[in-house]
Amino acid sequence: MEFVTESSTVNWLPMVFIALMGLSFLVYAILDGYDLGVGVLLPTDKAAANQAARDKMIYSIGPFWDANETWLVLAIGLMLIAFPKAHSIVLQALYLPTAFMLFGLILRGVSFDFRTKAPSKDKHKWDLAFKAGSLIATLCQGYMLGRYVTAFDTSTAATLFALLSAICVTAGYCYVGAAWLVMKTEGDLQKRSAKWAIWSNRFMALGIIAVCIANLSIDPVIADKWLGFPQVFILIPLVMLFGFMFVTVELYLRKVPMADDFGCWYPFVCAIIIFTLCFCGLAYSFYPYIVPNQLTIFEAASAPASLLVIFWGAVIVLPVIIGYTIFAYKVFWGKTSQLNY
Amino acid sequence: MLSRIQFAANISFHILFPTINIALCWILVFFKWRYNRTQDDAWLRVYRFWVRIFALTFAIGVVSGITMSFQFGTNWPGYMEKVGNIAGPLLGYEVMTAFFLEASFLSIMLFGMDRVSNRVHTIATVLVAVGTSLSAFWILVLNSWMQTPAGFEMIDGVAHVTSWYEVVFNPSMPYRLAHMLLASALTAAFLIAGISAYRLVKGDQKSSVKYALNFSVLLAAILMPLQAFVGDLHGLNTFEHQPGKVAAMEGVWQTERGAPLLLFAVPDETARTNHFEVAIPNLASLILTHEIDGEIRGLDEFKGEHPPVAPVFYSFRLMIGIGLLMLAIAWLASYQFVYKKRYPTWLLKTTVAMTFSGWLATLAGWYVTEIGRQPYLVSGVLTTKEAATGIAPENIALSLTLYLLVYGFLLIAYIKTLFVMADRAVKLEATNPKLADMQQADSTTESPSETLSEPISAQ
């Protein structure tokens, strides 16, 4: 801690790194969110039409899921590097859900590749493994978020909250996944995706409301941050924006497909906005804590010298990463077609 | 203890896949370059067959790698607390410079052939190869630093960097990196040779199969002696910086001059001696000190601070033994190729049996180097015990069981799938070659590995 008070360069470093880490988690939730959601939504039975739908759905995420998942590695990596104490407290507290989430990620990651290479009779099994892996991963992530938000409280109420959070996060991922499919597919699959999107949108909305109420009633400090005066004026327009998006998305999805596929990107863009706002809300609630009520970002930060080394690296490398990520999305722009290689 | 088993299991499993891919990607670059130069479709078919195996290997490498990034915090909290200022930036640079590069351009490399120009596709392949190599570079820098730490000072029990140059170019880094890159090339070469030999044995006479076999056999024949040379240098470096490890590798209990090279022995940790020694007099001293009666410091000088002898001793012999076998096969096969222009069936079958020999040698080598560093996690700085987690053992037992089941299953599935893919490629050729084109057009069938028709090439 002596370091922190002596040097003048230090106070902005933890803030920069918490911002970078938060950004990585957010980008991860949106990007891997949609491919996890697509995995959860896969139809299960052996009918030929569903087999074709599965192929199409998996092709739509094929070129992207790998890079999407890397954002999780970056986020966890940044936490490990910049806030090692928080990394070990958080991950030790969430040891088992983490292990199960990793199991899910392993299962889906390898199923994706095995499904086209294994004997054809096994393909259906790998598809089921892909769906199961995606579902396990999303549920665990939601559960972990719930545990984190309640500061790893072990009471029954907190456990119920974590379970609720598991379902809500899964609904959110399903929504962004379905919205992705509405954007990337056509015809029958697009209509089915729109139905999925309608339902997951409703569940997600319920979930957000439940989490907000629970969150505000658990912690008076957080309640004051939102409901106190004049902060409450941030809340009102937010609620209105959420309501507006919820209604317009539902109305739009009922009309899919529109002529010329008008506005097929609209539900997906709304998903990005909703995820971003929820994330900012959480960040605003907990700042400056990185482990709720235990450890602030300033207490958890590594030595400034090491952070500076990565900071300059990140300044140079991150724009390059964003650049070629955009390039990769441009290459695979438009409606999904078959993947040949 | 469970933590250690879990991490060891995870690392052993993870290392298998990058080991193949670091070099396989450059070999793919070579295939692609040959195709660009010669416009010979056979090279493109070799590329297409192996790029799919690359993708599969990559996927398993990625998911097991993600697991490791979590386990640093869950299983080794003491590690980051004490040396995080050094390990953190190295890992951070790995993620930022290597992972994203690989993952982003992999999609273009795999699925982009019809969507981007041939030139951009080739560049994407090169960038993925650069990414995998960068990843190997950073992780080996960190590992070497843990073996031979340099460029830091301890302030209040926490390591602070004094010179990044010394951290990165620590004493064992160049040897370790070279040794690992060559190990990767040899592992990939034997994998390609094994699978190609399998296809030949099954009657797949396409020129693409022969190109792959010839290339991999020659590559192995050239690199094998080079590996022996680098391995020797690496050994000398270890002898200088980690004499306790060398003593365990050689089974030298008391410091002695003119130490014999033990071909076989059963080290006994309680009696602190070897049983059933089969030895060549003075050879160990000659190899390590380049003097017939050079001094080798024995395990007694490092009492309480040296690694468990038996695993290091046996692993080392296993690595050398497999290495010699690989050398013999590579040279024999190259001789057959260069002078006889054909491979006898028994040699092809032996090569098939040797498909995963690189894996065994690499794993054995890793055990030598990693167990050889015990009881330390970072030599002289942090013991493994200090770094271990306080998580309840039953939780670790549960996750360990889960991981072992998954890894065992994946390993079997991976190996089986490689041969299934080879079988499918053989079958495609046996039936009407036109079928290959039809299958590609059909979106619901799995994409065939060999999509272009090719007449059966005459000898």
Side-chain angles (χ1 to χ4, degrees), chain B residues 332-344 347 459:
Chain B
L332 212 60
S334 297
Y335 172 81
Q336 288 288 345
F337 167 59
V338 174
Y339 293 102
K340 302 276 163 82
K341 297 288 175 205
R342 57 174 292 280
Y343 302 97
L347 184 61
Q459 193 59 53

Side-chain angles (χ1 to χ4, degrees), chain B residues 377-434:
Chain B
L377 194 60
V378 179
S379 296
V381 176
L382 177 70
T383 64
T384 309
K385 213 186 217 168
E386 287 169 338
T389 184
I391 291 172
E394 57 272 20
N395 281 358
I396 301 182
L398 180 62
S399 61
L400 176 62
T401 319
L402 191 66
Y403 286 128
L404 286 181
L405 283 175
V406 174
Y407 291 162
F409 172 72
L410 282 182
L411 204 56
I412 294 166
Y414 177 78
I415 293 172
K416 199 180 137 201
T417 302
L418 290 194
F419 286 99
V420 167
M421 288 168 72
D423 276 333
R424 192 176 289 158
V426 177
K427 224 184 279 163
L428 264 177
E429 194 247 1
T431 51
N432 187 349
K434 281 272 182 283

